[in-house]
Amino acid sequence: MKKKLIVLNTTIMLGLGSAFAIPSVKAESITDIQSQRTGIQSDISEAEQVIQELKKEQTKMNAQIAQIESAMKENDQKIKDTKQEIKDTEKDIDSLKKEIKALEERIAKREEVLKERALSFQESGGDVEYLEVVLGSKSFGEFVNRVGAVATIVEADQQILREQEADKADLEKKQATVEKKLQSLKDMEVELKGMQSQIKDQKAETVKMKEIVGKKESETKALKQSLENKDAGLEAQIASIRENIKKEEERKAAEKADLDRAAEEVSSSNSSNDGSSSSSSKESTSASKAESSASGSSKGEASSNSSKSSSVDKPAAASKPAVSKTETSSKPSSANTGSAITAGYKYIGNSTYKFGGGRTASDIANGQFDCSAFVAWAYKQAGVNLPASTGALTSAGRQVSKSQMQPGDLVFFNTYKTDGHVGIYVGGGKFIGSQSSTGVAIANMESGYWASKFNGRVVRVN
């Protein structure tokens, strides 16, 4: 009986040991997986931040494209209006041609009248002067009559000549006015078409940048989805392990209960016959309970989740966009360039490009400028008078090299023509100007569209 009891106690102890050893190992697996999840969730958070930044960039670009499309629509309307004016002016020219023909006919008739009057005073074979006509009279009465006739003819001739000269002068004036208007409209049409081409180029570049940002956003979303899937898989693993631990604990608890009952039965049946065996059985049971308590403590420690961070490689596409910083130069031009530069800041995002605008109080109040008028207005705020045309601004100061550029210098760009656009350099590779696609804005001249159009001309206002 004593030998039977020892075997039973050994079985109980082995059963209890295995009951708590297996959950402890599985708890360590949960800790490892939870540590992986912590790292993945950190990566998901960073990917979400990048996505939000890219969404902001997309929103900004959409607004810029909308502004460019608005400028294109307005420019298209100006081109249509100009073409209509050209047609109207061509009609005026056609009408003028009819007037010219009528004037030419009147002039021709007057010439015929003059010829007829000259012939009436001709003698056979040649012309006769008015004096000869008068002196050739045969009597005083005839002399008086001839003098009166000559005076009348001379006065009539002079009137015809005056009318002739007036008609010619009127004709030349009308012709010059209409031709000047037609040429002006044709020049405007060329300018507007050039500007439209420039705006389309800017839109194409912005759309291209939007596509790049969209691609980055898609890649980052794919990365985030991959991380979330991996995290969900790890979560499922943890749930599965916990379920297995629960089932294992229930099975071991049932097994332990059966062993405890068997031990009690053996102890009860032999208590009256063998005191020492009973004592040994109690000691064995006590030891088993102590071991169970220790195993329970170990289980509690193993099941606690420690937070460990794991690094997950991130693709370059998910990196956060760098924040650009505008550099400024400490060496201004000789004129009060600081005031000229800052004067236009109030119009940034609050203005529109207007061909020929910025030359009236109304345009200025409403922030409607073309590029040269904006430069002239900005410098006027600094007490410096400049012309309001790109051609004249190229000679508004002294030429300096690109390497010597300072804030306040005028910078020129070859857009639809040489020196077709002008702005004021603000430092850090940027300039402020009234652009056809954005109105007054600060633009980068070291990359993108304006870098390709900068012709190297730099004028320092004296």
Side-chain angles (χ1 to χ4, degrees), residues 287-449:
S288 296
K289 289 182 178 179
E291 186 175 347
S292 297
S293 178
S295 297
S297 176
S298 173
K299 174 184 172 183
E301 293 176 0
S303 63
S304 63
N305 295 328
S306 60
S307 60
K308 299 178 183 178
S309 61
S310 63
S311 60
V312 178
D313 293 336
K314 309 173 187 63
S319 61
K320 295 182 181 178
V323 179
S324 61
K325 296 182 179 178
T326 303
E327 301 174 11
T328 57
S329 172
S330 60
K331 292 179 65 181
S333 302
S334 57
N336 187 9
T337 57
S339 299
I341 292 171
T342 58
Y345 285 0
K346 67 177 181 179
Y347 287 120
I348 294 176
N350 188 33
S351 63
T352 56
Y353 183 92
K354 179 182 179 181
F355 183 78
R359 292 164 177 81
T360 65
S362 175
D363 282 351
I364 293 170
N366 291 294
Q368 297 176 331
F369 296 93
D370 62 16
C371 62
S372 55
F374 172 75
V375 170
W377 172 85
Y379 259 97
K380 188 174 183 180
Q381 309 315 299
V384 179
N385 290 323
L386 294 180
S389 71
T390 53
L393 285 171
T394 59
S395 304
R398 61 187 177 90
Q399 303 276 337
V400 297
S401 67
K402 178 183 176 182
S403 61
Q404 295 176 324
M405 274 196 304
Q406 295 177 2
D409 290 344
L410 307 186
V411 286
F412 293 80
F413 304 84
N414 292 345
T415 50
Y416 59 93
K417 65 177 183 179
T418 301
D419 298 323
H421 188 68
V422 62
I424 304 172
Y425 186 65
V426 299
K430 295 178 173 62
F431 74 96
I432 186 171
S434 181
Q435 279 70 261
S436 55
S437 60
T438 61
V440 177
I442 293 176
N444 192 338
M445 57 186 288
E446 289 188 343
S447 64
Y449 177 83

Side-chain angles (χ1 to χ4, degrees), residues 11 38 43 69 109 111 125 186 222 248 254 287 309 314 339 365 382:
T11 304
T38 300
D43 293 341
E69 288 175 344
K109 287 180 181 179
E111 287 177 352
K186 287 182 176 180
E248 187 70 16
S309 61
K314 309 173 187 63
S339 299

